[in-house]
């Protein structure tokens, strides 16, 4: 009929039902996500206090930071007035020299988790040294324990040092041969009881591995690569056992050019990286946010990102039905990653902006392929 204005679908496709209510979105998050790391645009210039900042360590409550300085040949102490916020960092005018023990090349430090001991590894004599603090976390009360452990039989340039949270395992990364070595302490936190496990991890593919640290549960390992100017991560199928490590990802979008020290906030939301070329410490966010959109619940979705977000679609209608839906994003400038099954108008996914945007999608094959377009941006 000439006046028939009903909606028609070509090629035998049926129209999917239109749900007037907004669809259900499920927000999720993954922590310790190196692949989702993003620079917070926050850094601290430590060049006034030290001129060769290496590794860093942060008190578990996020209020104190310690850095080893290769030129000073000692450890520097800082405070954060707001926990875990590097923009509030200030020098305590407290330091402790380890030069008598380490010689000229102290490279990395680590602390006992209660702040009553700290450890320094030196490439000058390939040795780890142990110190005590009579007042926890106060470097002004530090003294040498006259306890050390040589790692010269494994390598000749130990740069990285870290411990299992309970003090029964120690790990050394060697810059000279690009291996990570594993040790056992039969008495927790007592270097005099250390022994080599005859266990190592070859990390030579990533060139000049410096610092190494673990997630608190021991299932993820990350290390800084000076040559690659990147941070590399491995997953461990057996916690704290580096023989079970498999490569996971490499993050190279760094603000610094010579990554040395690393420290992860215990909840996995922040990563701190030092650069001894410019003597700065940088802060990153390491949370992968997700939004899952259930297409069986509606045709209009809306969410506000909390950071870089990966979007997925579920429960697409059966193949043979043409179904369209819209997604509103109240953007904050964070990156949005869409499913790889989306074919975009113009061939490239739009870059998210710090404004309200609306995206339109259609699928006709049960969700195997989606056709997408940014329908509107800078909406006020």
């Amino acid at each position: 009929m000439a006046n028939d204005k009903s909606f028609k679908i070509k090629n035998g496709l049926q129209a999917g039902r239109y749900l007037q209510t907004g669809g259900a979105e499920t927000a999720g998050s993954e922590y310790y996500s190196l692949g989702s790391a993003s620079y917070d645009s926050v850094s601290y210039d430590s060049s006034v206090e030290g001129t060769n900042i290496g590794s860093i360590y942060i008190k578990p409550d996020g209020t104190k930071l310690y850095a080893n300085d290769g030129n000073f040949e000692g450890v520097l102490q800082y405070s954060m007035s707001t926990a875990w916020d590097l923009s509030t960092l200030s020098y305590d005018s407290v330091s402790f020299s380890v030069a008598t023990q380490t010689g000229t090349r102290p490279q990395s430090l680590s602390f006992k988790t209660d702040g009553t001991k700290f450890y320094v590894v030196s490439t000058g004599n390939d040795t780890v040294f142990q110190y005590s603090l009579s007042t926890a976390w106060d470097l002004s009360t530090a003294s040498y324990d006259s306890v050390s452990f040589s790692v010269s039989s494994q390598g000749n340039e130990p740069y990285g040092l870290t411990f299992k949270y309970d003090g029964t395992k120690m790990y050394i990364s060697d810059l000279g041969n690009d291996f990570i070595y594993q040790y056992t302490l039969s008495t927790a936190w007592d270097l005099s009881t250390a022994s080599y496990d005859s266990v190592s991890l070859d990390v030579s593919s990533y060139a000049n591995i410096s610092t190494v640290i673990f997630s608190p549960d021991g299932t993820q390992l990350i290390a800084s690569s000076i040559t690659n100017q990147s941070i590399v991560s491995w997953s461990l199928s057996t916690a704290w056992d580096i023989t079970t490590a498999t490569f996971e990802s490499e993050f190279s979008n760094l603000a610094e050019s010579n990554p040395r020290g690393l420290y992860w906030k215990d909840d996995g939301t922040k990563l701190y990286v030092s650069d001894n070329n410019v003597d700065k410490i940088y802060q990153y966010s390491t949370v992968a946010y997700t939004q899952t959109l259930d297409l069986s619940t509606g045709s209009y979705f809306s969410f506000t990102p909390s950071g870089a977000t990966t979007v997925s679609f579920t429960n697409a209608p059966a193949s043979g039905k043409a179904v369209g839906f819209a997604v509103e994003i109240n953007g904050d400038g964070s990156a949005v990653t869409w499913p790889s099954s989306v074919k975009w108008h113009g061939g490239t996914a739009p870059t998210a902006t710090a404004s309200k945007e609306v995206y339109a999608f259609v699928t006709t094959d049960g969700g195997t392929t989606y056709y997408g377009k940014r329908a509107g941006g800078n909406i006020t």
Side-chain angles (χ1 to χ4, degrees):
M1 294 182 295
N3 293 325
D4 183 3
K5 297 182 180 180
S6 61
F7 182 63
K8 293 181 173 61
I9 305 276
K10 295 183 179 180
N11 301 325
L13 297 173
Q14 299 177 12
R17 63 194 178 106
Y18 180 82
L19 301 178
Q20 296 294 333
T21 57
E25 311 103 13
T26 303
S29 54
E30 175 188 348
Y31 302 97
Y32 301 99
S33 178
L34 191 61
S36 300
S38 59
Y39 178 43
D40 288 349
S41 297
V42 174
S43 65
Y44 178 83
D45 186 347
S46 59
S47 60
V48 174
E49 301 88 49
T51 55
N52 191 7
I53 294 298
S55 70
I56 54 177
Y57 189 96
I58 300 178
K59 184 180 176 184
D61 67 0
T63 61
K64 292 285 185 184
L65 181 147
Y66 305 84
N68 79 282
D69 182 346
N71 286 347
F72 162 65
E73 299 168 16
V75 184
L76 308 173
Q77 178 180 307
Y78 300 81
S79 290
M80 282 184 269
S81 56
T82 300
W84 302 106
D85 183 353
L86 204 60
S87 69
T88 69
L89 189 72
S90 61
Y91 181 45
D92 287 349
S93 297
V94 174
S95 62
F96 181 80
S97 174
V98 296
T100 301
Q101 294 79 50
T102 65
T104 59
R105 301 182 67 191
Q107 296 297 346
S108 191
L109 82 153
S110 188
F111 275 74
K112 185 179 178 183
T113 49
D114 67 358
T116 61
K117 290 192 180 294
F118 76 90
Y119 308 81
V120 175
V121 65
S122 169
T123 54
N125 45 30
D126 304 327
T127 300
V128 185
F129 298 91
Q130 177 180 309
Y131 303 82
S132 288
L133 292 81
S134 56
T135 300
W137 305 109
D138 183 354
L139 272 183
S140 69
T141 68
S143 60
Y144 178 44
D145 284 350
S146 298
V147 174
S148 63
F149 178 76
S150 174
V151 295
S152 60
S153 295
Q154 287 75 59
N156 60 8
E157 206 168 359
Y159 258 59
L161 167 68
T162 194
F163 288 83
K164 184 180 178 183
Y165 69 91
D166 64 1
T168 61
K169 292 287 183 185
M170 179 175 72
Y171 305 84
I172 301 286
S173 57
D174 193 284
L175 189 75
N177 57 23
D178 287 319
F179 272 84
I180 299 171
Y181 299 96
Q182 178 178 307
Y183 304 81
T184 292
L185 287 74
S186 56
T187 299
W189 303 109
D190 183 353
L191 273 183
S192 68
T193 69
S195 60
Y196 179 44
D197 286 350
S198 297
V199 168
S200 62
L201 175 64
D202 183 348
V203 292
S204 57
S205 298
Y206 310 102
N208 284 342
I209 289 295
S210 177
T211 300
V212 56
I213 59 173
F214 288 82
S215 59
D217 64 0
T219 62
Q220 191 169 10
L221 164 69
I222 66 171
S224 54
S225 168
I226 296 175
T227 299
N228 288 11
Q229 298 180 6
S230 65
I231 302 172
V232 186
S233 70
W234 295 263
S235 59
L236 283 69
S237 56
T238 300
W240 305 105
D241 182 355
I242 61 175
T243 66
T244 68
T246 56
F247 173 74
E248 191 172 60
S249 63
E250 184 172 10
F251 174 61
S252 57
N253 188 26
L254 293 170
E256 56 272 28
S257 61
N258 191 39
R260 281 290 309 277
L262 302 172
Y263 196 86
W264 238 331
K265 186 180 178 184
D266 283 354
D267 65 2
T269 61
K270 297 291 180 183
L271 176 69
Y272 304 83
V273 184
S274 63
D275 183 335
N276 74 341
N277 272 358
V278 295
D279 298 311
K280 284 188 176 182
I281 306 168
Y282 299 83
Q283 178 178 307
Y284 296 82
S285 292
T286 54
V287 184
Y289 294 102
T290 61
Q291 285 285 339
T292 302
L293 313 183
D294 186 347
L295 303 186
S296 69
T297 62
S299 60
Y300 191 84
F301 303 86
S302 178
F303 68 89
T304 300
S306 299
T309 302
T310 299
V311 180
S312 60
F313 307 143
T314 62
N315 296 322
S319 181
K321 291 185 176 181
V323 173
F325 58 97
V327 181
E328 175 189 299
I329 299 178
N330 299 297
D332 62 354
S334 300
V336 175
T337 301
W338 299 96
S340 59
S341 54
V342 176
K343 294 185 179 297
W344 289 97
H345 174 74
T348 305
T351 300
T353 65
S355 67
K356 180 178 289 188
E357 301 176 323
V358 174
Y359 294 80
F361 299 91
V362 173
T363 182
T364 62
D365 57 7
T368 301
T369 304
Y370 296 88
Y371 300 94
K373 179 180 181 179
R374 181 159 54 192
N378 297 316
I379 299 171
T380 58

